[in-house]
């Protein structure tokens, strides 16, 4: 059976238990406001974000039960990297057509699953419902159960039609699928006293690889990465960790809370972006694991890594300190750039908090200077006005604002979710510094600062 709107709303509200009483009050006043509203899926729908969450399980096959267009809507635009299997890069779809809409597409899906398991031998198969197949009522749970019995390969249904809500809800639906069908279904071959799970980091551009060596140096075993550069089996035995470390509460907080309730695993929310954040992350993990020797080794590692990165950043600090920047980077972790800017002696004079959670907005505001500006409309006109009034030196935004920087004649840096540079850990700060330096001192800006040829000609004629 597909999940009802009530179950979907429960999943959303339960992800933040501290807000539950207020949500219950609102529900009593007007229950219809809890249902998905028109336009809430604009930008990235629940289907997209469910796939973004689960596709980094790299040795599994991911099947879109819907039209072929759904399979191409988001696949590949997120640069989640793998150190092993590349099966997750292959696109599988049941390719629903008009005939299937009338007579049902369940049989077609079942035959497709049998064929792909025969050809590719995946460790598991994830099947994603879409708007059309959810509306016509295809029983993907029944198909997945039959396929599992026939092939012996776990086949997991993910009820994520785009119309149920926005990307946050899609993340949580994917998390619920892991809790119900994956986590707790296998046991690890080797267990240590220091097992942790990393939750909410999708290894975009290989970011998680900047952090894993730090845990190795401390003797901490990362049991499961949910789901960046993950393999199916390690997600299955994630319930044997001593601690869950959440890197994005916006995405998979429900997984951590579900594991705490079912398996008694505590969790902490941390960040691996920014030197102070990674220092605090390592300290908190060592403290939670409760070993004095581990805490001492952690402090020693922090001193060594901080000294090494400070030495590498010295040149960039001398060239970038005092520069004033504006951030308009939407849902990307804004505080990463703020941390890097502070470390480099740069000043963030304005920032957009679009698509951030309320907790993120509060945190971002606390990191800005007292006279820091929050972009309300995030329009080119507003950004240009702030640039002119505050003498900004650089605009950091996605590519749709590139023309704004050209109009203002200031350097521009495109930072978005399709980035190709890993910004996590100590090395990540160096990556940010190098990008800022390269953007600010790019020779092209010397040409941009020059008046246009026709403007120079006009001024010469006037002087004559």
């Amino acid at each position: 059976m597909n999940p009802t709107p009530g179950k979907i709303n429960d999943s959303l509200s339960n992800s933040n238990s501290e807000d539950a009483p207020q949500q219950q009050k609102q529900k009593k006043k007007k229950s219809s406001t809890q249902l998905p509203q028109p336009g809430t899926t604009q930008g990235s729908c629940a289907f997209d974000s469910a796939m973004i969450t689960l596709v980094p399980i790299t040795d599994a096959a991911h099947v879109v039960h819907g039209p072929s267009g759904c399979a191409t809507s988001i696949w590949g635009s997120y640069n989640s990297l793998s150190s092993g299997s590349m099966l997750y890069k292959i696109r599988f779809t049941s390719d629903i057509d008009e005939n299937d809409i009338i007579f049902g597409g369940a049989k077609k899906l079942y035959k497709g699953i049998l064929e792909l398991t025969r050809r590719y031998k995946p460790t598991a198969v994830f099947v994603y419902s879409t708007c059309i197949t959810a509306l016509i009522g295809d029983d993907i749970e029944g198909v997945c159960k039959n396929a599992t019995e026939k092939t012996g390969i776990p086949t997991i249904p993910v009820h994520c039609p785009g119309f149920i809500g926005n990307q946050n809800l899609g993340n949580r639906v994917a998390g619920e699928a892991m809790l119900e069908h994956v986590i707790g279904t296998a046991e690890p071959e080797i267990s240590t006293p220091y097992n942790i799970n990393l939750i909410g980091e999708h290894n975009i551009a290989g970011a998680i690889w900047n952090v894993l060596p730090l845990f190795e140096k401390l003797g901490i075993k990362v049991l499961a990465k949910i789901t960046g550069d993950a393999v199916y089996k390690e997600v299955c035995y994630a319930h044997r960790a001593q601690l869950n470390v959440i890197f994005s509460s916006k995405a998979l907080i429900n997984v951590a809370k579900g594991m705490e309730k079912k398996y008694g695993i505590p969790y902490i929310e941390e960040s691996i972006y920014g030197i102070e954040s990674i220092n605090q992350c390592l300290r908190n993990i060592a403290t939670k694991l409760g070993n004095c020797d581990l805490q001492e080794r952690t402090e020693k590692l922090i001193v060594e890594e901080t000294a090494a990165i400070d030495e590498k950043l010295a040149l960039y600090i001398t060239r970038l300190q005092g520069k004033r920047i504006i951030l308009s980077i939407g849902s990307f972790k804004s505080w990463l750039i703020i941390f890097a800017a502070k470390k480099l002696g740069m000043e963030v004079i304005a920032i957009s908090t679009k698509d951030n959670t309320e907790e993120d907005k509060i945190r971002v505001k606390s990191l800005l200077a007292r006279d820091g500006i929050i972009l309300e409309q995030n329009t080119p006109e507003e950004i240009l006005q702030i640039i002119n009034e505050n003498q900004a030196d650089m605009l950091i935004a996605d590519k749709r604002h590139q023309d704004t920087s050209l109009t203002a004649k200031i350097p521009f840096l495109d930072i978005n979710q399709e980035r190709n540079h890993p910004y996590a850990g100590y090395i990540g700060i160096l990556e940010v510094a190098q990008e800022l330096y390269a953007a600010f001192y790019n020779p092209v800006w010397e040409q941009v600062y020059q008046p246009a040829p026709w403007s120079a000609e006009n001024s010469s004629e006037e002087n004559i």
Side-chain angles (χ1 to χ4, degrees), residues 72-113:
T72 61
S73 65
I74 199 70
W75 218 310
S77 63
Y78 279 74
N79 192 17
S80 180
L81 301 185
S82 170
S83 58
S85 175
M86 289 293 152
L87 180 60
Y88 75 115
K89 291 288 188 181
I90 301 177
R91 306 177 184 186
F92 297 103
T93 176
S94 57
D95 191 20
I96 292 297
D97 57 23
E98 293 86 348
N99 243 5
D100 302 313
I101 293 173
I102 297 171
F103 298 105
K107 290 183 179 179
K108 189 175 186 180
L109 172 64
Y110 178 71
K111 291 180 180 179
I113 293 172

Side-chain angles (χ1 to χ4, degrees), residues 13-80:
S13 62
N14 288 339
S15 63
N16 283 303
S17 59
E18 62 273 13
D19 296 334
Q22 182 64 29
Q23 289 176 348
Q24 291 298 327
K25 290 179 182 178
Q26 292 177 353
K27 189 173 182 179
K28 289 179 181 178
K29 291 179 181 179
K30 191 176 182 181
S31 60
S32 63
T33 59
Q34 299 297 311
L35 296 174
Q37 300 296 311
T40 56
T41 61
Q42 185 175 357
S44 181
C45 67
F47 163 75
D48 287 342
S49 53
M51 292 205 67
I52 290 167
T53 300
L54 295 175
V55 162
I57 301 177
T58 58
D59 58 347
H62 300 270
V63 180
V64 177
H65 184 39
S68 57
C70 290
T72 61
S73 65
I74 199 70
W75 218 310
S77 63
Y78 279 74
N79 192 17
S80 180

